Amino acid sequence: MKLSYRNKIPVAAHRGNSRYFPENTLCAFRSAIELGVDMVEFDLHMTKDGVLIVMHDHMVDRTTDGTGLIREK
């Protein structure tokens, strides 16, 4: 199966349109799609109790007021 892209060179929005919206949020993903990207890409991590979350980093330090590894939460 061949994917069809909007752009001559496929454009991916990693974490959505994180320049104008909080990264990995629905509004960031929607904005990126409205801008005409071909794909939205994000990272998944699993917490200690097996819950999947969408976050770029392995630690919560940069984007929350907490500290530590996601896998230990």
Side-chain angles (χ1 to χ4, degrees):
M1 176 174 87
K2 182 175 165 99
L3 297 174
S4 61
Y5 298 113
R6 296 178 183 184
N7 302 289
K8 186 174 182 178
I9 298 172
V11 176
H14 182 62
R15 296 179 268 168
N17 183 3
S18 57
R19 180 173 183 174
Y20 295 106
F21 297 94
E23 64 185 54
N24 289 317
T25 60
L26 287 176
C27 55
F29 297 150
R30 284 186 189 117
S31 176
I33 292 167
E34 289 171 2
L35 288 172
V37 300
D38 296 297
M39 62 192 93
V40 174
E41 188 267 328
F42 55 88
D43 304 288
L44 292 175
H45 292 276
M46 189 178 294
T47 62
K48 187 176 181 178
D49 59 350
V51 175
L52 288 174
I53 65 165
V54 177
M55 186 176 277
H56 176 70
D57 304 333
H58 294 281
M59 301 182 78
V60 300
D61 301 50
R62 183 177 65 87
T63 56
T64 75
D65 60 356
T67 60
L69 293 167
I70 294 168
R71 68 175 180 252
E72 295 174 353
K73 302 293 179 198

